[in-house]
Amino acid sequence: TGASIASLLTGLFPTVHGFDAGIKWESIRSSTGETLPFQIQKTLPSYQVTLAETLRRHGYTTAAFVSSAETSSIFGLGQGFDIYNEALHSPFNASRSSRRTGAETNRQVLRWLDTHPAEPFLLFVHYDDPRSPYHPPPGYSDQFTAGYHGALTSEDTASIVESQGQAITNLPEADLDYIVGLYDGEIRYVDAQVGRLLTKLDQLVLDRELLVVLTSDHGEEFLEHGSTSHGYTLYDEQLLVPLVMHWPGRLPARRVEQQVQLIDVFPTILDLSGIDAGKLPLQGSSLVTLIEGAESASEYAYAEAVRKGEQASVRSGSGRKLIRDEAKDTAQFFDLLSDPAERRPLEGAAEPAGPPPGERTDAAAVLNVPEFRVEPAEHQDRGGRERLPWPHQVRHDERAKLR
Protein backbone atom coordinates (compact mmCIF):
# COMPACT_ATOMS: atom_id res chain seq x y z
CA THR A 1 0.00 0.00 0.00
CA GLY A 2 2.55 2.57 1.09
CA ALA A 3 4.98 1.93 -1.75
CA SER A 4 2.21 2.08 -4.34
CA ILE A 5 0.72 5.29 -2.97
CA ALA A 6 4.19 6.82 -2.81
CA SER A 7 4.57 6.03 -6.52
CA LEU A 8 1.20 7.66 -7.18
CA LEU A 9 2.30 10.80 -5.32
CA THR A 10 5.84 11.02 -6.77
CA GLY A 11 5.54 9.58 -10.29
CA LEU A 12 8.49 7.28 -9.50
CA PHE A 13 9.05 3.53 -9.17
CA PRO A 14 9.39 2.27 -5.56
CA THR A 15 13.10 1.46 -5.88
CA VAL A 16 13.61 5.04 -7.03
CA HIS A 17 11.48 6.98 -4.54
CA GLY A 18 12.92 4.80 -1.75
CA PHE A 19 9.75 3.79 0.12
CA ASP A 20 9.71 0.22 -1.18
CA ALA A 21 8.91 -1.48 2.11
CA GLY A 22 6.69 -0.24 4.92
CA ILE A 23 5.29 -1.79 8.07
CA LYS A 24 6.67 -5.02 9.48
CA TRP A 25 4.23 -6.20 12.14
CA GLU A 26 6.71 -7.22 14.80
CA SER A 27 6.89 -5.63 18.25
CA ILE A 28 10.03 -3.67 19.14
CA ARG A 29 10.96 -1.43 22.06
CA SER A 30 11.38 2.25 21.25
CA SER A 31 14.13 4.53 22.58
CA THR A 32 11.66 5.82 25.18
CA GLY A 33 11.07 2.34 26.53
CA GLU A 34 7.60 2.00 25.04
CA THR A 35 6.73 -0.96 22.81
CA LEU A 36 5.88 -0.32 19.18
CA PRO A 37 3.68 -2.99 17.56
CA PHE A 38 5.55 -2.67 14.25
CA GLN A 39 8.87 -1.72 12.74
CA ILE A 40 9.18 1.21 10.36
CA GLN A 41 11.35 -0.31 7.65
CA LYS A 42 11.49 2.63 5.25
CA THR A 43 9.93 6.04 4.68
CA LEU A 44 9.54 8.35 1.71
CA PRO A 45 12.74 10.45 1.67
CA SER A 46 12.23 14.18 2.12
CA TYR A 47 14.22 14.97 -1.03
CA GLN A 48 11.55 13.37 -3.22
CA VAL A 49 9.07 15.86 -4.68
CA THR A 50 5.39 14.98 -4.35
CA LEU A 51 2.33 16.03 -6.30
CA ALA A 52 1.09 17.92 -3.24
CA GLU A 53 4.35 19.87 -2.93
CA THR A 54 4.27 20.77 -6.61
CA LEU A 55 0.67 21.95 -6.62
CA ARG A 56 1.11 23.86 -3.35
CA ARG A 57 3.99 25.80 -4.93
CA HIS A 58 1.53 26.80 -7.66
CA GLY A 59 -1.02 28.18 -5.23
CA TYR A 60 -3.14 25.10 -4.47
CA THR A 61 -4.61 24.31 -1.08
CA THR A 62 -3.68 20.68 -0.37
CA ALA A 63 -5.49 18.25 1.91
CA ALA A 64 -5.35 14.49 2.42
CA PHE A 65 -7.67 12.18 4.34
CA VAL A 66 -6.33 8.65 4.72
CA SER A 67 -7.72 5.57 6.42
CA SER A 68 -5.02 3.09 7.46
CA ALA A 69 -1.81 2.64 9.42
CA GLU A 70 0.05 1.97 6.17
CA THR A 71 -0.67 5.52 4.99
CA SER A 72 0.39 7.24 8.22
CA SER A 73 2.39 10.46 8.04
CA ILE A 74 5.21 8.69 9.92
CA PHE A 75 6.12 7.22 6.53
CA GLY A 76 6.61 10.64 4.93
CA LEU A 77 3.45 10.52 2.80
CA GLY A 78 2.23 13.83 4.20
CA GLN A 79 4.88 15.84 2.35
CA GLY A 80 3.30 18.91 0.78
CA PHE A 81 -0.15 18.60 2.35
CA ASP A 82 -1.48 21.55 4.35
CA ILE A 83 -3.80 19.09 6.10
CA TYR A 84 -3.03 15.39 6.56
CA ASN A 85 -5.96 13.83 8.39
CA GLU A 86 -5.17 10.22 9.29
CA ALA A 87 -6.53 7.21 11.08
CA LEU A 88 -3.39 6.44 13.06
CA HIS A 89 -3.18 8.98 15.89
CA SER A 90 -0.63 7.03 17.94
CA PRO A 91 1.72 4.39 16.51
CA PHE A 92 1.86 2.70 19.91
CA ASN A 93 -1.80 1.69 19.58
CA ALA A 94 -1.57 0.45 15.98
CA SER A 95 -2.46 -3.00 14.70
CA ARG A 96 -3.10 -4.68 11.35
CA SER A 97 -6.72 -3.60 11.70
CA SER A 98 -5.88 0.04 12.51
CA ARG A 99 -8.10 1.75 10.00
CA ARG A 100 -11.24 3.79 9.90
CA THR A 101 -14.24 3.05 7.76
CA GLY A 102 -15.09 4.91 4.60
CA ALA A 103 -17.98 6.59 6.39
CA GLU A 104 -15.66 7.82 9.14
CA THR A 105 -13.18 9.19 6.61
CA ASN A 106 -16.00 10.81 4.64
CA ARG A 107 -17.20 12.62 7.75
CA GLN A 108 -13.80 14.26 8.04
CA VAL A 109 -13.67 15.10 4.33
CA LEU A 110 -17.18 16.57 4.21
CA ARG A 111 -16.50 18.63 7.31
CA TRP A 112 -13.44 20.10 5.57
CA LEU A 113 -15.39 20.80 2.36
CA ASP A 114 -18.01 22.64 4.41
CA THR A 115 -15.28 25.14 5.41
CA HIS A 116 -15.15 26.23 1.75
CA PRO A 117 -11.40 25.67 1.23
CA ALA A 118 -9.59 28.19 -0.93
CA GLU A 119 -9.42 27.28 -4.60
CA PRO A 120 -7.77 25.74 -6.42
CA PHE A 121 -7.36 22.72 -4.18
CA LEU A 122 -5.98 19.19 -4.24
CA LEU A 123 -8.07 16.74 -2.23
CA PHE A 124 -6.58 13.26 -1.76
CA VAL A 125 -8.93 10.71 -0.19
CA HIS A 126 -7.85 7.15 0.61
CA TYR A 127 -10.37 4.44 1.56
CA ASP A 128 -9.09 1.18 3.03
CA ASP A 129 -12.19 -0.94 3.57
CA PRO A 130 -11.49 -3.73 1.03
CA ARG A 131 -8.73 -5.14 3.24
CA SER A 132 -8.66 -8.09 5.63
CA PRO A 133 -10.24 -8.74 7.98
CA TYR A 134 -13.14 -8.41 5.55
CA HIS A 135 -16.03 -7.06 7.59
CA PRO A 136 -18.51 -5.15 5.41
CA PRO A 137 -21.35 -3.39 7.24
CA PRO A 138 -24.74 -5.15 7.35
CA GLY A 139 -26.51 -5.05 4.03
CA TYR A 140 -23.38 -4.85 1.90
CA SER A 141 -22.35 -8.50 1.76
CA ASP A 142 -25.66 -10.34 1.96
CA GLN A 143 -26.12 -10.65 -1.78
CA PHE A 144 -22.58 -12.04 -2.13
CA THR A 145 -22.58 -14.45 0.83
CA ALA A 146 -26.21 -15.62 0.94
CA GLY A 147 -26.48 -19.37 1.20
CA TYR A 148 -23.18 -19.89 3.01
CA HIS A 149 -23.56 -22.28 5.96
CA GLY A 150 -19.92 -22.93 6.83
CA ALA A 151 -18.07 -22.19 10.05
CA LEU A 152 -16.14 -19.09 8.94
CA THR A 153 -16.99 -15.62 10.17
CA SER A 154 -15.72 -12.28 8.89
CA GLU A 155 -13.35 -12.10 11.87
CA ASP A 156 -11.67 -15.31 10.66
CA THR A 157 -10.65 -13.87 7.29
CA ALA A 158 -7.44 -12.17 8.44
CA SER A 159 -5.90 -15.41 9.71
CA ILE A 160 -6.60 -17.03 6.33
CA VAL A 161 -5.95 -14.16 3.94
CA GLU A 162 -2.76 -12.82 5.56
CA SER A 163 -0.79 -15.80 4.32
CA GLN A 164 2.44 -13.86 3.67
CA GLY A 165 2.61 -15.38 0.23
CA GLN A 166 2.60 -18.97 1.48
CA ALA A 167 0.63 -21.60 -0.42
CA ILE A 168 -2.86 -22.28 0.94
CA THR A 169 -4.21 -25.80 0.60
CA ASN A 170 -7.37 -27.58 1.64
CA LEU A 171 -9.52 -24.46 1.75
CA PRO A 172 -13.04 -25.61 0.81
CA GLU A 173 -14.49 -23.89 -2.24
CA ALA A 174 -17.51 -22.74 -0.23
CA ASP A 175 -15.20 -21.02 2.29
CA LEU A 176 -13.25 -19.33 -0.51
CA ASP A 177 -16.50 -18.12 -2.11
CA TYR A 178 -17.56 -16.73 1.28
CA ILE A 179 -14.28 -14.83 1.70
CA VAL A 180 -14.53 -13.41 -1.81
CA GLY A 181 -18.15 -12.47 -1.11
CA LEU A 182 -17.11 -10.50 1.95
CA TYR A 183 -14.43 -8.76 -0.12
CA ASP A 184 -17.03 -7.91 -2.78
CA GLY A 185 -19.26 -6.55 -0.03
CA GLU A 186 -16.50 -4.21 1.09
CA ILE A 187 -15.98 -3.05 -2.50
CA ARG A 188 -19.70 -2.33 -2.73
CA TYR A 189 -19.50 -0.38 0.54
CA VAL A 190 -16.57 1.72 -0.68
CA ASP A 191 -18.44 2.34 -3.92
CA ALA A 192 -21.28 3.80 -1.85
CA GLN A 193 -18.85 6.01 0.08
CA VAL A 194 -17.22 7.26 -3.13
CA GLY A 195 -20.71 8.02 -4.41
CA ARG A 196 -21.48 10.00 -1.28
CA LEU A 197 -18.29 12.04 -1.74
CA LEU A 198 -19.00 12.69 -5.42
CA THR A 199 -22.52 13.83 -4.57
CA LYS A 200 -21.07 16.33 -2.10
CA LEU A 201 -18.55 17.57 -4.66
CA ASP A 202 -21.34 18.05 -7.22
CA GLN A 203 -23.17 20.26 -4.73
CA LEU A 204 -20.25 22.62 -4.23
CA VAL A 205 -20.33 26.03 -5.84
CA LEU A 206 -16.85 26.31 -7.30
CA ASP A 207 -15.05 28.69 -9.61
CA ARG A 208 -14.04 25.85 -11.92
CA GLU A 209 -15.02 22.30 -12.79
CA LEU A 210 -13.34 19.59 -10.72
CA LEU A 211 -10.99 17.04 -12.19
CA VAL A 212 -11.79 13.74 -10.44
CA VAL A 213 -9.33 10.83 -10.55
CA LEU A 214 -10.33 7.42 -9.17
CA THR A 215 -7.80 4.60 -8.85
CA SER A 216 -6.47 1.92 -6.47
CA ASP A 217 -3.08 0.98 -5.09
CA HIS A 218 -3.35 -2.76 -5.74
CA GLY A 219 -5.64 -5.73 -6.25
CA GLU A 220 -6.02 -8.92 -4.21
CA GLU A 221 -5.26 -12.59 -4.82
CA PHE A 222 -7.76 -15.32 -3.98
CA LEU A 223 -5.86 -18.53 -4.80
CA GLU A 224 -5.46 -17.67 -8.50
CA HIS A 225 -1.82 -18.63 -8.00
CA GLY A 226 -2.08 -20.63 -4.82
CA SER A 227 -2.08 -17.91 -2.18
CA THR A 228 -4.00 -14.87 -0.93
CA SER A 229 -3.52 -11.26 0.13
CA HIS A 230 -1.26 -8.87 -1.83
CA GLY A 231 2.30 -7.65 -2.11
CA TYR A 232 3.97 -11.04 -2.45
CA THR A 233 3.57 -11.77 -6.16
CA LEU A 234 3.25 -9.77 -9.37
CA TYR A 235 0.47 -11.57 -11.22
CA ASP A 236 -2.24 -9.47 -12.82
CA GLU A 237 -4.87 -10.07 -10.13
CA GLN A 238 -2.72 -7.79 -7.97
CA LEU A 239 -1.52 -5.36 -10.64
CA LEU A 240 -4.61 -4.50 -12.67
CA VAL A 241 -6.48 -1.62 -11.02
CA PRO A 242 -9.04 0.88 -12.29
CA LEU A 243 -8.05 4.37 -13.43
CA VAL A 244 -10.96 6.71 -14.11
CA MET A 245 -10.65 10.41 -14.90
CA HIS A 246 -13.64 12.76 -15.14
CA TRP A 247 -13.51 16.43 -16.06
CA PRO A 248 -16.72 17.81 -17.59
CA GLY A 249 -16.10 19.79 -20.74
CA ARG A 250 -12.40 18.98 -20.80
CA LEU A 251 -11.97 15.21 -21.11
CA PRO A 252 -13.79 13.22 -23.80
CA ALA A 253 -15.90 10.24 -22.78
CA ARG A 254 -13.92 7.24 -23.98
CA ARG A 255 -12.24 4.07 -22.78
CA VAL A 256 -8.48 3.79 -23.25
CA GLU A 257 -7.41 0.27 -24.15
CA GLN A 258 -3.64 0.75 -23.82
CA GLN A 259 -1.88 -0.10 -20.58
CA VAL A 260 -0.87 2.78 -18.34
CA GLN A 261 0.78 3.07 -14.90
CA LEU A 262 0.06 4.72 -11.57
CA ILE A 263 3.22 6.81 -12.02
CA ASP A 264 1.47 8.44 -15.02
CA VAL A 265 -1.15 10.11 -12.79
CA PHE A 266 1.18 12.81 -11.40
CA PRO A 267 2.38 14.13 -14.80
CA THR A 268 -1.15 13.86 -16.21
CA ILE A 269 -2.60 16.05 -13.45
CA LEU A 270 0.16 18.61 -14.00
CA ASP A 271 -0.48 18.61 -17.76
CA LEU A 272 -4.24 19.06 -17.34
CA SER A 273 -3.62 21.82 -14.79
CA GLY A 274 -1.36 23.72 -17.18
CA ILE A 275 1.69 23.27 -14.95
CA ASP A 276 5.06 22.62 -16.59
CA ALA A 277 6.73 19.58 -15.05
CA GLY A 278 10.03 21.30 -15.76
CA LYS A 279 12.98 19.41 -14.35
CA LEU A 280 10.95 17.15 -12.07
CA PRO A 281 12.50 13.64 -12.28
CA LEU A 282 9.22 11.97 -13.21
CA GLN A 283 9.31 8.46 -14.62
CA GLY A 284 5.64 8.52 -15.58
CA SER A 285 4.25 10.18 -18.70
CA SER A 286 1.26 12.44 -19.22
CA LEU A 287 -1.74 10.54 -20.56
CA VAL A 288 -3.38 13.59 -22.15
CA THR A 289 -2.50 12.71 -25.75
CA LEU A 290 -3.55 9.11 -25.08
CA ILE A 291 -6.89 10.29 -23.69
CA GLU A 292 -7.35 12.40 -26.79
CA GLY A 293 -6.95 9.35 -29.00
CA ALA A 294 -3.22 9.11 -29.72
CA GLU A 295 -1.14 5.98 -29.26
CA SER A 296 0.45 5.15 -25.92
CA ALA A 297 3.70 6.98 -25.22
CA SER A 298 5.07 4.09 -23.14
CA GLU A 299 5.39 0.57 -24.52
CA TYR A 300 6.15 -1.02 -21.18
CA ALA A 301 4.56 -1.10 -17.72
CA TYR A 302 6.55 -2.03 -14.63
CA ALA A 303 5.84 -3.31 -11.13
CA GLU A 304 7.86 -4.31 -8.08
CA ALA A 305 7.34 -6.39 -4.93
CA VAL A 306 9.80 -6.68 -2.06
CA ARG A 307 7.85 -8.41 0.69
CA LYS A 308 9.19 -11.82 -0.25
CA GLY A 309 12.58 -11.21 -1.80
CA GLU A 310 13.03 -8.79 -4.67
CA GLN A 311 10.59 -9.33 -7.52
CA ALA A 312 9.93 -7.18 -10.56
CA SER A 313 7.75 -7.45 -13.65
CA VAL A 314 7.40 -5.75 -16.99
CA ARG A 315 4.45 -5.96 -19.40
CA SER A 316 4.90 -5.04 -23.04
CA GLY A 317 2.28 -3.45 -25.22
CA SER A 318 2.34 -6.58 -27.37
CA GLY A 319 0.93 -8.71 -24.54
CA ARG A 320 4.11 -10.31 -23.24
CA LYS A 321 5.02 -10.24 -19.55
CA LEU A 322 8.19 -10.96 -17.60
CA ILE A 323 8.24 -11.69 -13.86
CA ARG A 324 11.71 -11.92 -12.38
CA ASP A 325 12.49 -13.21 -8.88
CA GLU A 326 15.94 -11.98 -7.87
CA ALA A 327 16.13 -14.19 -4.77
CA LYS A 328 15.50 -17.36 -6.78
CA ASP A 329 17.37 -16.05 -9.84
CA THR A 330 14.49 -17.08 -12.09
CA ALA A 331 12.37 -15.45 -14.76
CA GLN A 332 8.88 -16.32 -16.01
CA PHE A 333 7.46 -15.20 -19.34
CA PHE A 334 3.77 -15.18 -20.25
CA ASP A 335 1.77 -14.49 -23.39
CA LEU A 336 -1.17 -12.57 -21.96
CA LEU A 337 -3.12 -12.69 -25.20
CA SER A 338 -3.39 -16.50 -25.14
CA ASP A 339 -2.96 -16.92 -21.38
CA PRO A 340 -4.48 -13.92 -19.57
CA ALA A 341 -4.69 -15.87 -16.29
CA GLU A 342 -0.90 -16.45 -16.32
CA ARG A 343 -1.18 -20.19 -15.85
CA ARG A 344 1.16 -21.37 -18.62
CA PRO A 345 4.69 -19.90 -18.49
CA LEU A 346 6.42 -19.88 -21.83
CA GLU A 347 9.26 -22.30 -22.50
CA GLY A 348 12.32 -21.61 -20.38
CA ALA A 349 10.34 -19.87 -17.63
CA ALA A 350 12.12 -21.65 -14.80
CA GLU A 351 15.64 -21.16 -16.17
CA PRO A 352 18.12 -19.03 -14.20
CA ALA A 353 17.87 -15.32 -14.97
CA GLY A 354 21.25 -15.64 -16.66
CA PRO A 355 24.16 -13.28 -17.27
CA PRO A 356 25.87 -11.38 -14.45
CA PRO A 357 24.96 -7.74 -13.76
CA GLY A 358 27.77 -6.51 -16.01
CA GLU A 359 25.90 -7.80 -19.04
CA ARG A 360 22.70 -5.95 -18.27
CA THR A 361 21.74 -2.94 -20.30
CA ASP A 362 20.80 0.63 -19.49
CA ALA A 363 17.05 0.30 -19.89
CA ALA A 364 16.58 4.06 -19.48
CA ALA A 365 17.64 4.43 -23.10
CA VAL A 366 16.53 1.07 -24.48
CA LEU A 367 13.04 1.12 -22.95
CA ASN A 368 12.43 4.87 -23.23
CA VAL A 369 12.43 5.39 -19.48
CA PRO A 370 12.97 9.07 -18.57
CA GLU A 371 16.15 10.01 -16.72
CA PHE A 372 15.75 10.53 -13.00
CA ARG A 373 17.73 11.42 -9.91
CA VAL A 374 19.47 8.51 -8.23
CA GLU A 375 20.70 8.98 -4.67
CA PRO A 376 23.65 6.52 -4.48
CA ALA A 377 23.19 5.70 -0.81
CA GLU A 378 19.58 4.74 -1.46
CA HIS A 379 20.49 2.22 -4.16
CA GLN A 380 22.94 -0.15 -2.55
CA ASP A 381 22.20 -3.67 -1.49
CA ARG A 382 22.99 -4.96 2.01
CA GLY A 383 26.58 -5.55 0.94
CA GLY A 384 27.06 -1.96 -0.17
CA ARG A 385 27.08 -2.84 -3.86
CA GLU A 386 25.30 -0.58 -6.32
CA ARG A 387 21.76 -1.73 -7.07
CA LEU A 388 20.29 0.14 -10.00
CA PRO A 389 16.54 0.76 -9.79
CA TRP A 390 14.29 -1.44 -11.84
CA PRO A 391 13.73 -1.26 -14.82
CA HIS A 392 17.43 -0.53 -15.39
CA GLN A 393 18.04 -4.24 -14.83
CA VAL A 394 16.14 -5.61 -17.86
CA ARG A 395 18.57 -7.58 -20.00
CA HIS A 396 18.77 -7.69 -23.79
CA ASP A 397 17.68 -11.35 -23.95
CA GLU A 398 14.67 -10.68 -21.71
CA ARG A 399 13.73 -7.62 -23.70
CA ALA A 400 13.71 -9.70 -26.89
CA LYS A 401 11.20 -12.13 -25.39
CA LEU A 402 8.87 -9.24 -24.51
CA ARG A 403 8.40 -8.21 -28.12
Side-chain angles (χ1 to χ4, degrees):
T1 295
S4 184
I5 289 179
S7 288
L8 180 70
L9 295 177
T10 63
L12 301 172
F13 298 118
T15 47
V16 177
H17 62 58
F19 182 26
D20 56 351
I23 287 179
K24 181 178 181 180
W25 292 103
E26 180 178 297
S27 296
I28 61 169
R29 189 167 296 278
S30 72
S31 58
T32 63
E34 298 177 275
T35 300
L36 275 170
F38 60 84
Q39 297 183 35
I40 302 175
Q41 293 180 284
K42 290 188 179 181
T43 62
L44 182 64
S46 60
Y47 60 75
Q48 300 294 9
V49 180
T50 67
L51 174 63
E53 289 175 300
T54 303
L55 291 180
R56 188 167 67 176
R57 283 200 299 268
H58 286 81
Y60 281 68
T61 301
T62 56
F65 297 81
V66 299
S67 304
S68 71
E70 285 81 359
T71 52
S72 169
S73 58
I74 63 177
F75 296 109
L77 296 175
Q79 292 177 202
F81 286 104
D82 299 315
I83 295 173
Y84 198 81
N85 186 295
E86 55 187 303
L88 184 60
H89 298 296
S90 171
F92 295 99
N93 298 325
S95 69
R96 287 182 183 271
S97 58
S98 292
R99 67 186 189 192
R100 59 186 178 193
T101 66
E104 293 169 330
T105 295
N106 265 353
R107 276 193 288 273
Q108 300 295 321
V109 178
L110 270 56
R111 185 177 297 127
W112 179 75
L113 289 172
D114 284 338
T115 67
H116 306 288
E119 297 182 56
F121 61 76
L122 165 68
L123 171 60
F124 176 73
V125 182
H126 163 257
Y127 300 103
D128 197 57
D129 298 271
R131 175 186 291 272
S132 68
Y134 305 132
H135 190 59
Y140 284 95
S141 64
D142 298 349
Q143 68 176 10
F144 304 108
T145 59
Y148 176 71
H149 301 292
L152 287 184
T153 65
S154 60
E155 287 75 15
D156 298 327
T157 56
S159 61
I160 297 175
V161 172
E162 295 300 330
S163 61
Q164 299 186 357
Q166 300 300 314
I168 294 180
T169 59
N170 302 321
L171 181 66
E173 184 175 352
D175 287 354
L176 176 61
D177 289 344
Y178 173 70
I179 293 172
V180 173
L182 291 174
Y183 180 72
D184 289 343
E186 293 211 325
I187 292 175
R188 184 179 179 87
Y189 171 72
V190 166
D191 180 75
Q193 300 309 313
V194 171
R196 182 184 175 202
L197 175 59
L198 293 178
T199 297
K200 176 66 174 181
L201 293 173
D202 284 341
Q203 294 170 351
L204 299 178
V205 179
L206 301 173
D207 295 334
R208 62 178 77 185
E209 291 285 354
L210 279 177
L211 165 64
V212 177
V213 180
L214 173 67
T215 190
S216 179
D217 50 345
H218 57 75
E220 199 87 334
E221 180 184 353
F222 292 102
L223 297 190
E224 289 90 344
H225 289 88
S227 190
T228 53
S229 189
H230 58 268
Y232 298 97
T233 67
L234 290 170
Y235 297 109
D236 275 2
E237 59 265 17
Q238 297 192 37
L239 300 186
L240 298 185
V241 297
L243 176 58
V244 181
M245 296 186 179
H246 177 68
W247 200 5
R250 296 292 299 274
L251 295 180
R254 65 185 302 264
R255 180 168 185 167
V256 174
E257 298 294 338
Q258 295 94 326
Q259 63 182 13
V260 298
Q261 306 175 89
L262 284 182
I263 60 171
D264 297 331
V265 173
F266 185 161
T268 302
I269 290 177
L270 292 189
D271 196 355
L272 291 172
S273 302
I275 297 174
D276 185 3
K279 296 183 179 180
L280 287 175
L282 300 176
Q283 292 182 283
S285 302
S286 172
L287 303 176
V288 171
T289 56
L290 181 60
I291 294 170
E292 293 173 345
E295 290 298 314
S296 174
S298 177
E299 184 182 356
Y300 299 92
Y302 305 90
E304 302 169 322
V306 296
R307 279 187 167 182
K308 191 178 180 182
E310 291 188 16
Q311 300 177 70
S313 75
V314 55
R315 303 167 97 257
S316 69
S318 63
R320 291 292 181 97
K321 180 176 177 179
L322 157 69
I323 301 177
R324 188 195 298 153
D325 189 319
E326 296 289 351
K328 297 179 180 178
D329 195 28
T330 60
Q332 288 183 305
F333 290 89
F334 297 93
D335 183 344
L336 299 178
L337 298 182
S338 63
D339 180 26
E342 299 167 282
R343 300 293 178 85
R344 302 186 302 276
L346 299 177
E347 185 178 355
E351 295 176 357
E359 297 185 29
R360 293 176 178 176
T361 185
D362 182 0
V366 176
L367 302 181
N368 299 318
V369 178
E371 293 295 335
F372 50 86
R373 169 178 29 174
V374 175
E375 300 290 337
E378 296 294 326
H379 297 289
Q380 295 180 354
D381 62 19
R382 292 181 178 85
R385 297 179 296 272
E386 183 179 17
R387 178 173 62 86
L388 286 176
W390 179 268
H392 278 234
Q393 301 174 23
V394 178
R395 300 194 319 270
H396 282 294
D397 61 318
E398 292 175 332
R399 181 165 41 85
K401 292 183 180 181
L402 289 167
R403 292 172 180 163

